[in-house]
Amino acid sequence: MQIDSRGHLLHLYYGSRIGEGDLAALYPPADVSFSPNYYAHRFDRLASPDILPQEYTGCNVGDFRLSTISVTDAAGVRGADFLYVSHEISSGKYALHGLPAAHDEDQEAETLTVRLQDPVTGLGLELLYGVFERQDVITRAVRLANHGNGALQLHKVASACLDLPFGQWDLIHFHGRHAMERQVQRVHLADAIQTVSSTRGASSHHHNPFVILCDRQATEEAGACCGVMPVYSGSFRTDVELTQNGLVRLVTGIHDDGFCWLLRPGEQFTAPEVIFAYSDQGLGRLSRIYHRFLRHNICRGPWRFARRPVLINNWEATYFDFDTEKIVRIAEKAAGLGVELMVLDDGWFGKRNDDNSGLGDWQVNTRKLPGGLDPLIRRIHALGMKFGIWVEPEMVSVDSDLYRAHPDWALTLPGRDPAMGRDQLVLDLARPEVVEYLADCMTALLQEHAIDYVKWDMNRNMSDVYSRALPPERQGEVTHRYMLGVYSLLERLTQQFPQVLFEGCAGGGGRFDAGMLAYCPQIWCSDDTDAIERLTIQNGTSYGYPVSAVGAHVSACPNHQTGRTTPLETRAVVAMSGTFGYELDLNRLTEAECGEVRAQIERFKRWAALIGSGAYFRLAPPDGESDFTAWQFASEDRREALLNLVVTHPRANPRSAHVRLRGLDPDACYRVDELVFAAGSNVDDARHEGGMAALPQGKFSGSFLMHAGVALPHLFGDYPAVQLHFVQAEGEKA
């Protein structure tokens, strides 16, 4: 960065570490037609704000590119031009009041604070940078303060601006819909503005807030890549503009659609944090930077590094049709197979026999659970299992005692019938009394019952946004105040009950973001539990988020979402690249299948540390040219690796499935320690055994595995899968 002669803060470079040189020379002065110049340069015409690389823009002062801010004063005048005041570097990482942000428990970070101010409005700007040098990460946030004499209205406040002066860039983003989240799309930057956003009051199933700018030639292993990840769970907007002079500008932050924040004299406003990471070694390296950082510096509490218990969830086994005995029967079978956690999903409270009633009434339905939760929990604990429960605190059913008592607590527009989603409305968490009510309900639930796990769901997006508790001039604050209320509620509960494992959920993966990971170290990845569909969903998720955060279950077949039948072992291979659990009635399995489940759980427990904290490598993505998908884990010390492969397109005369491993010690000697081969359901025993015999055997050098690779035999049947666990041969060198 550089302060120019006028006092503006310029952004000169972000990329690989470089030596001495004049970065300002990357931006030669130019007279650009129809781009006005600063007043002091009105005669030489070589200093236009429209072409300078800016660390944080003003508004309405001659820069026609994407802006980071829009502010008006009491007279309706829109304008801001921030000039440098001071800066300081301090030890430790800054904190953001009321917002999730990276922490610095290892005390490795430094904070750079740069202060600027608009001399006309008195609007002060603090740019905050958390520098994690060992992790190759810089976090950025913005704090505004009204030092003037009159009220200001903030119509847009971005969290960060990134100007890149050179290069041919692609944009990678992760689109989708319910049950099809985080599909990878890579596009060339056009001479236009490209937008990735959500106006749903949540980060959404449809556009994840994480984006990547990368070289046109970037691959998994080579090329420049820049990641931009907001630590925010509400409506967001990321814009990327390829400008007239070839400079790329990226601006990200809270979505400005309907946003307006009243900032009175002496008040502050803080914009959410953004995590920036850069790699000149390809997309895989960038992903691993984010994986480690999110595990170490976003997730908190005793569960962030701990192996998560293998769970059984009753949802796809029973839906709303259950009672105590049915849940106990599922738990008894599961406990005998090694499952460690029984999760009671939706339907245990209020008048809740379908999704049209009961939300908001967090009292136990004793018709389903005679005597309440405690008798059930005692029986679950007696089996040696933990007990978990589903909640959806942010919502209310119209058919509920809560709504009948407090209809004004729901977001609805005066005089209009509200849009309905699952026949439920969104509670107004911008109101402190609503947050208090929910805090009391959830605190009582966790204090009065021995609950070990909470699945925190949110099953509709925001519409009819209007708060009856706010005056007209503050209605533009509702969606952000809602998120502050959610964060406040989660902060209180996770701090008060640190031993409870919270899993985030929003109709599956509709709020899978770094903001939620600050409270929930794992998030239900998608409501689509089909193993083959999950390959694509989990692949897209892996670009920014660690496997330890991915809620993944083995479900019944034919699958409830797609009708597809997939081998039980293949379903387990896919679900193991996540927190791992089951979502089916294990009592319906054959004895042979129960034996498979028992072996799967034992295998996952052996490999859990490698899967949860190992380096992740995408070897053959599901959207590639291969007939298979392959991915791999390697331990930090490079002593073991786990190769996973699923055939997604079986053929009569296939090419060999050939993969090269990554992350090994080239000079070490490795052997296959464990081998799992899941044949399709239509394969006879002889053919299955023949395939097993042809799988890689013997010893291999790390360099052999990484450069020559391994070739797998013809894998027969419907969606067969392979897992190969490699370990270093003790005392042997290649």
Side-chain angles (χ1 to χ4, degrees), residues 191-264:
D191 289 294
I193 297 172
Q194 290 161 279
T195 300
V196 177
S197 71
S198 168
T199 58
R200 294 171 173 267
S203 48
S204 85
H205 303 83
H206 307 80
H207 294 284
N208 194 264
F210 177 55
V211 300
I212 300 170
L213 290 176
C214 65
D215 278 345
R216 293 265 175 95
Q217 291 75 38
T219 65
E220 282 291 313
E221 299 168 60
C225 309
C226 176
V228 182
M229 180 181 286
V231 186
Y232 193 59
S233 312
S235 298
F236 75 93
R237 178 170 180 164
T238 299
D239 293 303
V240 184
E241 180 179 9
L242 181 58
T243 66
Q244 61 176 330
N245 61 337
L247 182 144
V248 172
R249 171 171 288 178
L250 181 149
V251 172
T252 187
I254 298 170
H255 205 298
D256 56 343
D257 181 36
F259 175 84
C260 182
W261 195 277
L262 180 64
L263 197 66
R264 300 191 187 280

Side-chain angles (χ1 to χ4, degrees), residues 418-494:
M420 302 299 291
R422 285 169 51 108
D423 203 23
Q424 66 194 53
L425 296 170
V426 182
L427 283 172
D428 182 2
L429 270 75
R431 300 179 70 145
E433 64 269 33
V434 175
V435 175
E436 286 296 324
Y437 168 81
L438 295 175
D440 289 344
C441 290
M442 295 299 108
T443 297
L445 180 67
L446 297 176
Q447 279 183 340
E448 295 170 9
H449 309 288
I451 292 171
D452 305 290
Y453 161 106
V454 170
K455 181 179 178 181
W456 186 288
D457 210 344
M458 176 203 179
N459 278 310
R460 69 153 290 176
N461 291 144
M462 236 181 247
S463 65
D464 305 276
V465 178
Y466 178 83
S467 173
R468 285 165 173 78
L470 292 175
E473 64 272 19
R474 290 197 179 273
Q475 288 299 322
E477 303 174 10
V478 174
T479 54
H480 183 57
R481 286 187 180 274
Y482 175 93
M483 278 317 311
L484 295 177
V486 172
Y487 291 146
S488 171
L489 180 57
L490 284 167
E491 179 73 18
R492 290 169 62 173
L493 295 172
T494 54

Side-chain angles (χ1 to χ4, degrees), residues 50-67:
D50 196 35
I51 63 171
L52 292 177
Q54 305 205 39
E55 190 66 16
Y56 200 84
T57 76
C59 66
N60 202 20
V61 288
D63 186 346
F64 298 105
R65 299 166 295 176
L66 293 168
S67 68

Side-chain angles (χ1 to χ4, degrees), residues 610-640:
L610 172 61
I611 292 170
S613 60
Y616 183 90
F617 298 87
R618 292 177 291 270
L619 304 183
D623 55 353
E625 298 179 357
S626 302
D627 294 333
F628 59 88
T629 297
W631 66 101
Q632 179 215 323
F633 303 95
S635 62
E636 190 172 336
D637 61 9
R638 303 190 293 180
R639 295 186 62 83
E640 61 174 328

Side-chain angles (χ1 to χ4, degrees), residues 146-185:
N146 186 350
H147 300 309
N149 297 320
L152 301 172
Q153 286 188 317
L154 306 175
H155 303 277
K156 177 180 182 179
V157 182
S159 294
C161 175
L162 178 66
D163 280 355
L164 298 173
F166 48 80
Q168 297 292 313
W169 299 96
D170 282 352
L171 170 66
I172 300 177
H173 66 103
F174 306 91
H175 68 97
R177 55 188 182 271
H178 176 243
M180 193 177 170
E181 298 87 346
R182 290 173 298 287
Q183 308 293 301
V184 182
Q185 187 169 67

Side-chain angles (χ1 to χ4, degrees), residues 52 93 185 329 412 476 525 542 585 613 715:
L52 292 177
K93 163 69 166 53
Q185 187 169 67
R329 285 196 297 273
T412 58
C525 187
S542 76
D585 189 346
S613 60
L715 304 175

Side-chain angles (χ1 to χ4, degrees), residues 314-341:
N314 73 293
W315 179 243
E316 289 193 13
T318 68
Y319 296 102
F320 293 103
D321 182 19
F322 63 83
D323 56 22
T324 297
E325 295 307 317
K326 187 178 287 190
I327 298 301
V328 169
R329 285 196 297 273
I330 293 173
E332 287 173 339
K333 186 69 172 183
L337 299 177
V339 177
E340 301 163 301
L341 167 65

